[in-house]
Amino acid sequence: MGDQRNMGCDDKLRPLVYQISFDKLLREYESMLDGDDPVLAARAKQVLDAQKPYPMLRDGFSDLELIKEHREVISLILQDSFSPILGENEIKVASIPYFDFFFNPSKRFQKIVKQAGPTYKPKIRNQEIGVDYIMGCIVILKFHYGVELDFSRPYFYDIPDSNGVMHHYRIMYNADFMEILPTDKSKELSEEDINELMESPDNLSLWQDKIPPDSFVAKGFIIANMFDVTSEHSISEIKSSLIASDKRSSDNFMENLQETFRSFFRLPDIKVGFVVYNAKKDQFEPVYGKNMTSFILNGKDSKPCHDALCNYSYKKLIQENSYFAISDVEKYNKTSNESDPYHVLEGQEIKSAILAPIAFEGELLGVLEVVSNRKNELNGVNARKLDDVMPFIVSAVVRSKVEEENLIDAIIQNECTSVHSSVYWRFQEEAKYFIKDQLESRSPSFKEIVFKDVYPLYGQIDIKDSSKARNKAIQRDLMIQLSHVNGILEEALAKNSLPIYEELIFRVNNHLDSIKEMLYTNSEQAIFDFVKEEIDPIFEHLKKTDGKIAKQIQAYEAKIDMGTGSYYDHRKNYDESVTMINKKLVSILDRKQENAQAMFPHYFERYKTDGVEHNMYIGESISENGVFNSLYLSNLRLWQLQVMCEMENVHYKLKPELPIPLDATSLILVYSSSLSIRFRMDEKKFDVDGTYNARYEVIKKRIDKAYIKGTNERLTQTGKIAIVYSQKKDELEYLRYIKFLKSKKYFTDKIEIVELEGLQGVSGLKAIRAEILYKTDQESQESYTYEDLMATLKD
């Protein structure tokens, strides 16, 4: 029985006052007294005589202590409803609706509760003590006012057995002996009142007004019949778990699934794993997800199926797609004539196992592994239980495979051949035409996608003198490596005066001399080939013949990078510096791009080199719905200038943290004419369309190498942004932007206009060079729009 001693003792408002009463049941016995069956009449008289000294059993009571006090009489009254003959089988109790207490339990129910342990108290799943106010009112509307309402829902008890395996019991209520009776607080409800309540299911004050607290009495009792639905419930839970879309990233998916399988098999210690079948390589591979495991692989990245299975199980699983059960793993290994394929299970203390194929349309997708640390606990008989859940597992794996393929495609698209979101709509249109042509038996072709009259924007932050820095790092690594080689050879020569050692030392010194001043194009490969073909064989010989030299060689080899086959110290510092710079700059650019897209949709792409470059194209043809105005181009140009300054600031703050403090230079190319871009199917990228527009690409590729006219001074310099243009109107436009941003502390007063030496095929270019004002605090710079600029100019 529950802890609540009196159902009316709390302060919670309820429309119903609950009273336990056997009056309605006893009236049934009274009708039997005058019946034709003397046996029934005698039984009725026995029940009525037993109750007669205790009038409260008919009048009704709320004090639950009275149930204990009159337990024997109540048991006699309920004896026909709770037949002792069926008590060992039926799971049955008497109760009151929506209260977690019971009385007069059947023997089987008592046994179930006892096995659950002394601290366990049965509680209806998702059901709080009592019932909320509106639910009580709905009961009154149905049973007193005759309003046809279906508010039934399944109720369950979740009760563990003595092994801790959770069992689930469906509760079916028999309310034949309940009555809903009005008190003097009840109101008559019109049809209009009832309609108003139906239209306001959440208006508690309205329900309390129409059906006041304590306005009805729920008098009687209910009989709760329970049925063990553990298997059905487990199947439903397995299905629900597999339907979930976040299985790979869920922390508790496998844990919950294993608990459900334990209930399903009614075995407390079994575990569940999955393995993927790769048909092309005929091997098992892991499922990639949190806490996903495979007992066949036991941590390996892959395993050939013939190594993981014996010939018989290979035939059953791979070829026939049928279950394979091992009831005694240890015995099976001993009696098998083949090389022990299941030692991996035995090594994990697995004593019995079921391997179930996950197959779809004759194609094996993977294997479900159910394992136990007890022999014979899993076997060919209970393996058949899986028939009820395998369709859901197969369905989930098929869907997961499609999701994985989509995810892989998305990753490839994002990382390799991205179709930007701003133009994705155009690709979707063309794809629909492609599908339509296929369905109508026409030869489908993915037509070329062209966007006309778009304005280009280009910017780059480049690592200054990156080639020199890289060559310097390679030069230092090679010199250190050759010096170590030389030291080992001199040690070998001192111990064993062989002319070959002298000759090799001579050649090592020649290589050292050749790279001391400058690293030539072919020097790195020549030294690599020399070491690999002539030094490494000698070192292998020395390791076997001289213990002291062997230790020196091992120390040397420990510094050789497996990827490059050479020393990788200074080069590693350079590569890490470049990676850190690119990662930081790209994160700023990508984050800021989200804001820029909100201004007006435009095509955007960025790529990493020794630094970060980006291309943007804006125009009406790119936007699916927007009407283009030159205002949006001005906004994007101003946005680009701000973001370039912020990226410069990020690099400025990052520089002290770099393994090699590399400098960076920034450049923006302004192109005043619109052009067309075409998606090139062969290269999976957009490119300018037409011979005339190719001039823009030529300028882009050569501009960062440009010099100031009449000097040997490079255009790009650290600490400055170079803005290259050819039209006077562009010069005036960007001078306005710079003046505005200077007031916002983006630039200093050092601004200059320079002419550029003619590039091959291109002349007449000029540039603004504006010195950047670097921030020393950690506050990020605000973004300003073209409207902000215009408002400032008006002031």
Side-chain angles (χ1 to χ4, degrees):
M1 191 182 302
D3 292 333
Q4 193 173 353
R5 297 293 176 230
N6 190 309
M7 291 178 290
C9 67
D10 57 43
D11 296 327
K12 186 175 181 179
L13 291 177
R14 296 190 181 93
L16 285 164
V17 176
Y18 289 92
Q19 291 184 354
I20 296 174
S21 168
F22 303 97
D23 181 57
K24 194 173 181 181
L25 174 62
L26 293 169
R27 292 203 302 268
E28 291 289 330
Y29 279 111
E30 286 174 340
S31 68
M32 294 179 189
L33 288 174
D34 300 324
D36 297 332
D37 190 328
V39 175
L40 289 179
R43 173 62 183 160
K45 185 176 184 306
Q46 181 188 11
V47 171
L48 292 169
D49 288 346
Q51 179 274 323
K52 194 171 183 179
Y54 310 103
M56 80 287 293
L57 297 182
R58 297 195 77 149
D59 297 339
F61 58 91
S62 298
D63 186 356
L64 303 183
E65 290 295 326
L66 292 175
I67 291 177
K68 290 183 179 180
E69 185 177 333
H70 302 294
R71 180 183 294 141
E72 293 182 4
V73 176
I74 292 172
S75 179
L76 178 62
I77 294 171
L78 296 177
Q79 195 172 65
D80 292 332
S81 302
F82 288 75
S83 172
I85 296 175
L86 302 175
E88 294 288 350
N89 185 272
E90 289 186 339
I91 311 170
K92 201 171 188 178
V93 293
S95 184
I96 290 293
Y98 309 114
F99 281 83
D100 262 323
F101 86 98
F102 56 88
F103 59 94
N104 203 62
S106 67
K107 289 182 179 178
R108 185 177 175 191
F109 187 78
Q110 292 180 61
K111 184 178 179 181
I112 289 170
V113 173
K114 184 178 180 180
Q115 286 182 340
T119 60
Y120 178 80
K121 293 179 181 178
K123 184 175 179 62
I124 299 172
R125 186 196 307 165
N126 299 327
Q127 177 68 42
E128 296 180 359
I129 294 177
V131 60
D132 67 37
Y133 198 97
I134 293 177
M135 178 57 75
C137 292
I138 290 171
V139 172
I140 292 168
L141 286 178
K142 180 176 176 66
F143 291 101
H144 180 74
Y145 293 100
V147 180
E148 285 302 319
L149 295 168
D150 184 5
F151 55 87
S152 61
R153 54 173 295 193
Y155 292 103
F156 297 88
Y157 276 134
D158 301 320
I159 308 176
D161 64 16
S162 57
N163 294 318
V165 174
M166 190 63 71
H167 291 245
H168 307 280
Y169 301 90
R170 172 79 180 268
I171 306 169
M172 303 294 289
Y173 289 118
N174 181 338
D176 289 348
F177 305 112
M178 285 293 300
E179 296 178 281
I180 305 294
L181 305 172
T183 69
D184 56 2
K185 296 180 181 180
S186 65
K187 296 181 178 181
E188 287 297 323
L189 297 184
S190 65
E191 185 175 347
E192 185 179 342
D193 290 329
I194 293 171
N195 290 338
E196 188 178 358
L197 290 172
M198 294 298 96
E199 292 169 1
S200 307
D202 300 317
N203 189 341
L204 179 59
S205 60
L206 176 67
W207 285 82
Q208 289 179 337
D209 176 62
K210 302 292 184 184
I211 305 176
D214 301 338
S215 57
F216 286 84
V217 174
K219 185 178 180 181
F221 69 98
I222 59 171
I223 299 172
N225 291 280
M226 284 160 276
F227 305 90
D228 190 337
V229 293
T230 301
S231 294
E232 293 83 352
H233 182 275
S234 298
I235 291 170
S236 177
E237 287 292 297
I238 290 169
K239 182 179 178 181
S240 298
S241 298
L242 294 171
I243 287 173
S245 60
D246 60 346
K247 298 184 289 295
R248 291 178 186 274
S249 59
S250 173
D251 289 317
N252 54 9
F253 167 70
M254 280 304 296
E255 182 181 346
N256 293 342
L257 191 65
Q258 295 204 114
E259 284 299 323
T260 306
F261 264 93
R262 286 164 184 164
S263 292
F264 178 64
F265 277 96
R266 307 193 184 204
L267 299 172
D269 299 318
I270 63 171
K271 296 178 183 177
V272 178
F274 293 95
V275 67
V276 173
Y277 175 62
N278 185 330
K280 292 180 180 178
K281 297 182 178 180
D282 193 29
Q283 69 181 23
F284 290 132
E285 298 172 355
V287 177
Y288 294 106
K290 286 189 176 180
N291 302 319
M292 298 279 189
T293 188
S294 165
F295 303 101
I296 290 175
L297 293 178
N298 193 26
K300 289 189 174 182
D301 290 334
S302 65
K303 182 181 286 188
C305 292
H306 280 290
D307 292 347
L309 305 171
C310 63
N311 288 338
Y312 178 70
S313 59
Y314 183 92
K315 180 182 177 184
K316 294 279 285 184
L317 283 169
I318 310 298
Q319 296 174 351
E320 298 176 5
N321 296 160
S322 59
Y323 302 143
F324 178 67
I326 312 173
S327 56
D328 188 342
V329 172
E330 185 179 1
K331 179 182 176 182
Y332 192 88
N333 280 334
K334 288 179 179 178
T335 57
S336 175
N337 294 324
E338 302 171 56
S339 58
D340 194 7
Y342 299 107
H343 69 279
V344 68
L345 299 182
E346 198 171 357
Q348 298 170 74
E349 298 186 357
I350 294 169
K351 306 296 185 184
S352 58
I354 298 170
L355 304 179
I358 304 170
F360 180 70
E361 295 182 349
E363 177 188 353
L364 183 67
L365 305 176
V367 175
L368 168 68
E369 311 161 345
V370 186
V371 301
S372 169
N373 57 8
R374 295 186 178 91
K375 69 178 181 179
N376 299 320
E377 194 166 66
L378 296 171
N379 49 68
V381 175
N382 58 11
R384 289 297 161 191
K385 288 172 67 71
L386 290 171
D387 288 343
D388 296 324
V389 297
M390 288 309 293
F392 305 125
I393 294 174
V394 170
S395 177
V397 170
V398 169
R399 188 177 67 253
S400 182
K401 186 176 181 182
V402 171
E403 289 173 355
E404 184 178 75
E405 289 171 353
N406 291 340
L407 179 62
I408 290 170
D409 288 343
I411 291 170
I412 292 172
Q413 186 185 70
N414 185 58
E415 298 297 326
C416 307
T417 58
S418 175
V419 174
H420 192 257
S421 59
S422 62
V423 296
Y424 194 69
W425 64 273
R426 184 66 187 83
F427 284 81
Q428 285 180 312
E429 281 186 352
E430 203 55 53
K432 289 175 184 176
Y433 294 138
F434 188 93
I435 294 169
K436 184 180 178 182
D437 287 346
Q438 275 187 325
L439 294 174
E440 295 177 359
S441 300
R442 293 194 292 266
S443 298
S445 62
F446 204 95
K447 296 180 178 61
E448 287 189 324
I449 292 173
V450 179
F451 294 104
K452 296 182 178 180
D453 295 323
V454 295
Y455 292 89
L457 295 93
Y458 171 77
Q460 71 169 42
I461 292 187
D462 192 38
I463 294 172
K464 190 174 186 298
D465 296 328
S466 58
S467 296
K468 290 181 180 178
R470 183 187 295 107
N471 286 342
K472 190 174 182 180
I474 295 171
Q475 181 186 26
R476 288 178 176 176
D477 280 339
L478 289 176
M479 290 180 71
I480 293 170
Q481 182 178 359
L482 289 172
S483 296
H484 285 190
V485 169
N486 205 27
I488 294 170
L489 289 174
E490 286 178 348
E491 180 75 20
L493 180 62
K495 289 193 172 186
N496 194 353
S497 183
L498 294 178
I500 187 63
Y501 294 150
E502 286 189 75
E503 194 269 343
L504 286 173
I505 291 169
F506 172 76
R507 291 168 65 189
V508 168
N509 286 326
N510 279 345
H511 281 300
L512 275 168
D513 290 339
S514 71
I515 63 173
K516 273 181 182 177
E517 299 300 326
M518 183 182 296
L519 183 71
Y520 294 96
T521 306
N522 64 338
S523 297
E524 183 181 6
Q525 187 61 45
I527 293 171
F528 177 81
D529 292 341
F530 167 66
V531 171
K532 185 177 180 181
E533 295 170 9
E534 303 196 45
I535 298 298
D536 287 351
I538 296 293
F539 280 6
E540 285 300 315
H541 168 72
L542 289 171
K543 281 197 294 184
K544 297 174 184 177
T545 58
D546 190 303
K548 184 178 178 182
I549 294 179
K551 290 181 179 180
Q552 293 180 18
I553 294 172
Q554 287 167 359
Y556 159 81
E557 290 176 339
K559 296 182 179 180
I560 297 293
D561 179 67
M562 296 297 291
T564 63
S566 305
Y567 269 35
Y568 187 61
D569 185 13
H570 291 85
R571 271 179 292 179
K572 182 180 180 182
N573 289 338
Y574 173 82
D575 290 342
E576 286 183 355
S577 298
V578 171
T579 300
M580 288 173 68
I581 292 170
N582 286 350
K583 187 176 180 180
K584 278 283 189 180
L585 297 184
V586 162
S587 68
I588 294 294
L589 190 57
D590 288 350
R591 179 164 51 83
K592 293 290 184 179
Q593 241 296 298
E594 295 177 11
N595 298 331
Q597 288 294 336
M599 297 177 190
F600 191 85
H602 58 277
Y603 181 78
F604 169 80
E605 64 179 0
R606 51 89 177 154
Y607 38 97
K608 305 171 188 174
T609 53
D610 283 346
V612 177
E613 300 179 44
H614 66 270
N615 287 313
M616 295 185 288
Y617 300 98
I618 187 169
E620 189 161 317
S621 62
I622 285 180
S623 173
E624 187 173 9
N625 302 310
V627 177
F628 181 71
N629 186 286
S630 60
L631 170 71
Y632 299 119
L633 173 60
S634 299
N635 254 325
L636 194 57
R637 284 177 168 179
L638 181 56
W639 171 89
Q640 182 188 37
L641 190 55
Q642 293 176 77
V643 172
M644 293 286 283
C645 286
E646 184 162 346
M647 291 167 72
E648 276 273 4
N649 269 271
V650 167
H651 173 261
Y652 176 78
K653 292 169 186 172
L654 179 66
K655 188 176 173 181
E657 302 173 19
L658 299 174
I660 298 177
L662 299 170
D663 288 318
T665 59
S666 295
L667 178 146
I668 289 173
L669 174 60
V670 183
Y671 201 74
S672 57
S673 302
S674 64
L675 44 76
S676 297
I677 56 172
R678 181 185 300 272
F679 186 78
R680 296 184 58 176
M681 298 298 292
D682 54 344
E683 295 185 13
K684 298 291 185 283
K685 58 175 281 191
F686 277 101
D687 206 348
V688 294
D689 187 35
T691 306
Y692 174 76
N693 294 328
R695 180 175 182 269
Y696 172 71
E697 288 294 329
V698 171
I699 297 173
K700 262 174 46 179
K701 291 175 181 176
R702 298 174 180 171
I703 194 63
D704 64 324
K705 303 295 191 296
Y707 288 89
I708 305 300
K709 192 170 185 178
T711 72
N712 291 324
E713 182 184 341
R714 288 280 288 268
L715 165 65
T716 54
Q717 290 185 352
T718 57
K720 297 179 180 180
I721 286 184
I723 303 164
V724 180
Y725 59 92
S726 60
Q727 303 293 321
K728 185 67 175 179
K729 61 175 182 153
D730 296 329
E731 177 184 296
L732 296 175
E733 179 180 353
Y734 272 86
L735 286 174
R736 290 204 314 272
Y737 297 159
I738 292 169
K739 183 178 180 181
F740 170 66
L741 292 177
K742 189 172 71 172
S743 71
K744 305 297 181 182
K745 302 191 183 305
Y746 278 75
F747 294 107
T748 71
D749 291 327
K750 293 182 180 179
I751 298 163
E752 59 182 328
I753 296 174
V754 296
E755 290 187 46
L756 305 186
E757 286 284 2
L759 303 173
Q760 186 178 352
V762 180
S763 60
L765 294 179
K766 299 176 73 176
I768 301 170
R769 288 201 302 199
E771 187 177 63
I772 300 162
L773 180 62
Y774 293 102
K775 305 260 182 172
T776 56
D777 56 36
Q778 296 299 315
E779 294 181 6
S780 62
Q781 294 168 310
E782 293 184 53
S783 294
Y784 300 98
T785 66
Y786 189 75
E787 289 85 346
D788 297 325
L789 168 66
M790 299 308 294
T792 301
L793 294 176
K794 288 177 183 178
D795 292 341

